[in-house]
Amino acid sequence: MTRQCTTPPETQENCLTYTATQAIIAGLGARALGIRVHPGAAAAALAVSFGTHYAVDRRVPGKGLLEKIATKTGKGNFYQLASHGMNGAFHLDSSWHHGWETVAALIATTKATSR
């Protein structure tokens, strides 16, 4: 992401663009690999992707969901880390997204068949 989202419209715009791009690329990839994805499973996976991205990508200092989760789980210092070439918020954000994208991929492949 090239900008930090601090307002709901900025976050919605980024998440909608990301999810639309994801739908196009995943659809083309599935087609190229001969995989038929169930439309309901694809929609559910995209909803998970959008929802989890929206929940975390609105990073308002002291108010963002990821910062709150990091603080409550004892990782607040890591979240705040921004030195020695490390950025804790970036790494936690990335981990959050990778985890939820794995869940979305599992949902998307439910009822998938080969062409």
Side-chain angles (χ1 to χ4, degrees):
M1 181 166 46
T2 58
R3 67 179 179 195
Q4 189 172 10
C5 298
T6 58
T7 66
E10 288 175 342
T11 306
Q12 289 168 354
E13 179 186 338
N14 277 0
C15 290
L16 285 171
T17 302
Y18 175 81
T19 305
T21 303
Q22 188 178 40
I24 292 166
I25 298 302
L28 291 172
R31 187 164 190 78
L33 295 171
I35 299 169
R36 179 169 294 156
V37 178
H38 188 276
L46 290 169
V48 166
S49 178
F50 176 85
T52 57
H53 272 78
Y54 183 81
V56 162
D57 282 353
R58 186 156 180 249
R59 286 200 248 158
V60 179
K63 297 180 183 177
L65 177 63
L66 190 59
E67 185 175 2
K68 288 179 183 179
I69 292 171
T71 300
K72 287 192 184 282
T73 58
K75 301 298 179 192
N77 287 339
F78 183 73
Y79 181 88
Q80 299 295 332
L81 180 64
S83 64
H84 307 295
M86 280 289 260
N87 183 314
F90 168 81
H91 287 294
L92 290 175
D93 180 270
S94 181
S95 296
W96 170 274
H97 291 315
H98 287 302
W100 282 107
E101 289 305 325
T102 300
V103 171
L106 292 171
I107 292 169
T109 58
T110 303
K111 298 184 182 179
T113 59
S114 48
R115 292 186 181 269

